Amino acid sequence: MQRHNFKKLKIWKEGMFLTRETYKMVRNFPDFEKFNLVSQLIRCAVSIPSNIAEGTSKRTDKHFTQYLENSLGSAFEWETQLIIAYSEEHISEEKFKAFELKIQEIQKMISGFIDGLEKS
C-alpha cells in the first residue's frame, strides 16, 4: 500500500472545513451546553479529519480502513448531535439543512473512499 498524504485528501479537507464551521456554529449556543452538546459536537468534528490523518500512517489498507470507519462513525454521531441542536432550537432550520447536506456529503465521500480501498 502506498501511504496517502492526508493533507491532499478531499475527505480530510472537508472534515477540516466541518470542524471550522462547527466551532463557529457553537459560539452562540447557551452556556449550559458548553460541557454537553458543544463539547460533543467539537469532539466529533475534530475526530473526523483526525482519524483520516492517523489512518494514513498505517501500513495496510485494512488498518487505514479501520480509521476511516472510525471517522465515518464520528460523522454519523455528529449528525445526530446536529439533529439534537436543531430540536433544542440552538440553530435555525436554514443552518440545520445546510449542515445536514454537508455531513451527508462527507459520509458518502468517506464511504466511497473505503469502498475504493477495499476494491484495490
Side-chain angles (χ1 to χ4, degrees), residues 1-2 5 9 17-18 20 23-24 30 33 35 58 63 74 81-82 88-89 92-93 96 105 110-111 113 118:
M1 166 188 147
Q2 176 185 351
N5 179 342
L9 294 175
F17 174 81
L18 183 74
R20 287 189 303 276
Y23 273 98
K24 290 177 191 174
E33 289 289 13
F35 298 108
K58 302 307 171 188
H63 287 112
S74 292
Q81 293 157 7
L82 176 71
E88 291 298 312
E89 300 178 352
S92 67
E93 183 176 3
F96 170 73
E105 175 187 325
I110 295 170
S111 293
F113 199 90
E118 290 176 344

Side-chain angles (χ1 to χ4, degrees), residues 102-113:
K102 176 52 79 179
I103 196 62
Q104 290 172 353
E105 175 187 325
I106 291 171
Q107 291 163 352
K108 287 177 188 172
M109 290 171 61
I110 295 170
S111 293
F113 199 90

Side-chain angles (χ1 to χ4, degrees), residues 15 18-19 22 40-50 74 78:
L18 183 74
T19 301
T22 299
Q40 284 294 107
L41 278 161
I42 290 172
R43 288 178 348 140
C44 284
V46 168
S47 180
I48 295 168
S50 296
S74 292
W78 188 94

Side-chain angles (χ1 to χ4, degrees), residues 29-40:
F29 279 32
D31 287 341
F32 70 86
E33 289 289 13
K34 184 177 181 182
F35 298 108
N36 298 311
L37 194 54
V38 168
S39 175
Q40 284 294 107

